[in-house]
Amino acid sequence: MPPMARYILRRLGHAVLVVFGVSIIVFLVMHLAGGSPLSVLLPPEASEAERRQYEALLGLDQPLYVQYWDFASQAVRGDFGQSIWYGRPAAGLVLERLQATAELAVSGLGLAVLVALPLGVLAAVYRNRTVDHAIGIFVVLGQSVPIFWLGMLLVLQFSVNWPLFPTSGRDSALSFVLPALTLAVYSMARLTRLTRAGMLEVLNQDHLRTARAKGMPERVVIFRHGVRNALIPFVTYLGLEFGGLLGGAVVVETVFSWPGVGRLATEAIFNRDYPLVQAVVFIVALVFVAVNLLVDLLYPALDPRIRLASAS
Amino acid sequence: MDVLPEAPALIEAPVRRVSKLRRLLRDPSGLLGVVVLGGVIFLALLAPWISPHDPERQNLKASLLPPAWLDGGDSAYLFGTDRLGHDVLSRTIWSARTSLLIGFSAVALAVLLGVTIGVFAGYVGGRLEDVVLRLADIQLAIPPILLAIVLAAAIGPSPTTIILVLGGTGWVVYARITRGDVLSLRDRSFVKAAVSLGAGHGRVVFRHILPHLVSPILIVATIEISLAILAESSLSFLGLGIQPPTPSWGSMLGDGRDYLASAWWLSVFPGIALMLTVLSVNLVGNWLRDVYDPRLS
């Protein structure tokens, strides 16, 4: 088998394994939740016989592994059961909302990258100088601010005091600005720090010293030899960061009443809508695994060393 | 010349100890972090004696009073009151207890779990190691906040739940560090020497391996405390963490959100307290990293 095919197959197998594990965790946690949508479906005065009947109807009287098998075999076909609250297929509800979250996460991540890359490079090039210290302060502040609080302050200032942007909702391009900015701050600090560390590592390497010794202008050294190499770990990290952003979106969506999966999840929990919670967590994890798989598959294209390593 | 081999050991220890303190004094941000964090811990410990009111006592006659220095403010309520007439200042002080307790306990639990798992994985190796690594991947595939939200909802919100959830989901990072270090230490000559002198597994792990893990774990754990405090406040903000009337910055901010336009003080003061606390923990973490692992700075 050609080495690239083996690399791809191994990554695919790994992803399948992770998805299988996630399905077990999601199933067990929901089971831990009492597994009793009965308390929502049935009135409190329901008799024991009625309870039994409902349990049998929903398969809750079966052994755990049978219940898991039912759940998994339906999930594979994209069926997560009916949302108790909405009375519609849970998977469909999640997919509808996923777009809103994806828009938010992608614009947040894009904004974060646009700010973090130049800042990180700048901090590394001017290591231990004023610029680096100033960027360091920005990074530690960004890491310390609770994003839901930042979102509230932004609303207070830019929606209430100066009515420039809507306080909530997803109606116009303007309603994007504050939520995307809030979510971006979440990643900006970490990505800046990562870029700086990556650049510092690259800047110390021999081939850069050689490039300088040849008399190559510093600008070319930094951009052609430095940034390009520093970008490689950066790309892997973006995949991981995406998962953090999906988590951050839960909170940001609540602050801005953004109709995404995060708010869907919290609402579903308050409504004890277990099939919907199950669907949200599972589908979000699936998206995350897919993004990371994509990054892993893109990786050899960026870094020839990986191609060589997988060939040997 | 024959003195040389001993000399480094004789000089090194005292010099290093002095320089850590010196480095703290010379590092203004680290010093700031230590001072602010010390202040927050101090306030948390003394909360029962210094907070002007009972944080859980309602006073509906004093509902939504602005801070004392504004028109309509009452000097008895420096930071104003919330809808139920709770004193915002008292609740802000008491919340420090909640957040620090949960942050420290959750990370302690995660360290305990992670280091134990990591030592077993690295020391025993083989199939166990594979299983642990796969488990870590699976855990990382679910965004932690989402997992915490679902678990908190499943077990029911309480401080203990939050500690268990954040501790139980935070082990991966320590397990990875520990496993990596154990793998490299296991084959070092001093460990092999101890084994060949007849040291048992327990002695090797506790006397020869774990001491080397203290500083890398400490650095990561400090940063993770700030993340745990943020996670707790996020959960409480969403209504899935600390439940009223127990004071918590997150739940105060969750309440404040409904009064953002009319009573800004409900959102601003607890937010500043939360941010200062997280900031100070991060500054201390950065300082520890600079002192113990200068390569990373």
Side-chain angles (χ1 to χ4, degrees), chain B:
Chain B
M1 284 302 279
D2 52 353
V3 190
L4 257 183
E6 281 175 41
L10 280 175
I11 302 167
E12 220 177 317
V15 168
R16 269 175 64 192
R17 199 161 297 157
V18 171
S19 78
K20 269 172 210 160
L21 193 67
R22 275 225 187 110
R23 279 173 100 150
L24 177 59
L25 293 175
R26 233 183 277 148
D27 177 359
S29 63
L31 197 61
L32 183 71
V34 170
V35 169
V36 173
L37 184 60
V40 174
I41 294 175
F42 187 71
L43 286 179
L45 288 176
L46 294 186
W49 296 280
I50 52 171
S51 71
H53 297 270
D54 177 347
E56 296 181 15
R57 207 197 64 204
Q58 300 181 7
N59 180 3
L60 291 173
K61 277 186 243 161
S63 164
L64 289 175
L65 290 177
W69 59 88
L70 292 181
D71 280 349
D74 184 330
S75 59
Y77 302 102
L78 190 60
F79 286 180
T81 59
D82 68 9
R83 184 176 53 92
L84 298 171
H86 292 127
D87 177 35
V88 172
L89 174 61
S90 303
R91 287 181 77 76
T92 304
I93 295 174
W94 276 83
S95 297
R97 286 196 151 197
T98 317
S99 282
L100 290 179
L101 182 72
I102 290 180
F104 279 93
S105 317
V107 170
L109 179 64
V111 167
L112 194 69
L113 277 174
V115 171
T116 312
I117 295 173
V119 164
F120 271 102
Y123 200 74
V124 180
R127 178 126 355 128
L128 182 74
E129 189 175 3
D130 289 340
V131 170
V132 167
L133 291 177
R134 290 299 149 263
L135 270 181
D137 285 339
I138 291 164
Q139 164 106 60
L140 288 178
I142 308 179
I145 290 226
L146 201 57
L147 189 59
I149 287 174
V150 174
L151 276 169
I155 319 175
S158 78
T160 321
T161 309
I162 300 172
I163 292 171
L164 289 177
V165 166
L166 296 179
T169 54
W171 61 275
V172 175
V173 57
Y174 307 104
R176 289 196 159 170
I177 296 176
T178 308
R179 173 190 158 265
D181 284 1
V182 169
L183 279 183
S184 72
L185 287 167
R186 202 176 53 177
D187 296 327
R188 293 272 290 276
S189 49
F190 66 91
V191 172
K192 286 189 168 159
V195 173
S196 64
L197 285 172
H201 294 307
R203 191 179 165 85
V204 169
V205 167
F206 281 101
R207 291 291 300 271
H208 300 284
I209 290 183
L210 285 183
H212 291 272
L213 292 168
V214 172
S215 63
I217 297 284
L218 188 69
I219 294 167
V220 176
T222 311
I223 304 288
E224 292 285 317
I225 289 174
S226 73
L227 292 178
I229 291 175
L230 283 177
E232 177 271 314
S233 61
S234 298
L235 285 175
S236 301
F237 172 76
L238 293 173
L240 294 162
I242 304 296
Q243 301 293 308
T246 307
S248 143
W249 291 320
S251 65
M252 290 176 80
L253 290 171
D255 290 341
R257 191 188 158 231
D258 299 333
Y259 298 90
L260 203 51
S262 56
W264 56 266
W265 54 92
L266 297 182
S267 316
V268 169
F269 296 120
I272 291 176
L274 173 58
M275 179 163 175
L276 277 180
T277 306
V278 175
L279 182 67
S280 66
V281 176
N282 275 330
L283 290 176
V284 171
N286 286 349
W287 166 69
L288 283 175
R289 196 191 47 206
D290 289 347
V291 171
Y292 284 104
D293 198 353
R295 281 170 304 140
L296 294 172
S297 65

Side-chain angles (χ1 to χ4, degrees), chain A residues 185-271:
Chain A
V185 169
Y186 184 81
S187 298
M188 224 179 259
R190 258 177 310 182
L191 292 178
T192 304
R193 167 171 268 169
L194 191 84
T195 310
R196 178 179 179 274
M199 273 302 282
L200 282 181
E201 199 165 299
V202 174
L203 288 176
N204 281 330
Q205 277 172 11
D206 292 341
H207 68 271
L208 261 82
R209 204 176 327 141
T210 311
R212 283 204 187 96
K214 286 196 307 194
M216 198 174 259
E218 190 64 20
R219 185 170 40 87
V220 181
V221 173
I222 287 170
F223 285 97
R224 187 170 309 159
H225 294 270
V227 176
R228 260 173 77 175
N229 283 308
L231 274 180
I232 295 170
F234 191 82
V235 171
T236 343
Y237 195 76
L238 280 187
L240 290 175
E241 189 61 31
F242 193 71
L245 273 177
L246 288 176
V250 176
V251 182
V252 173
E253 284 174 5
T254 302
V255 174
F256 293 97
S257 304
W258 189 264
V261 282
R263 214 161 60 108
L264 189 67
T266 36
E267 282 169 5
I269 280 169
F270 283 118
N271 297 335

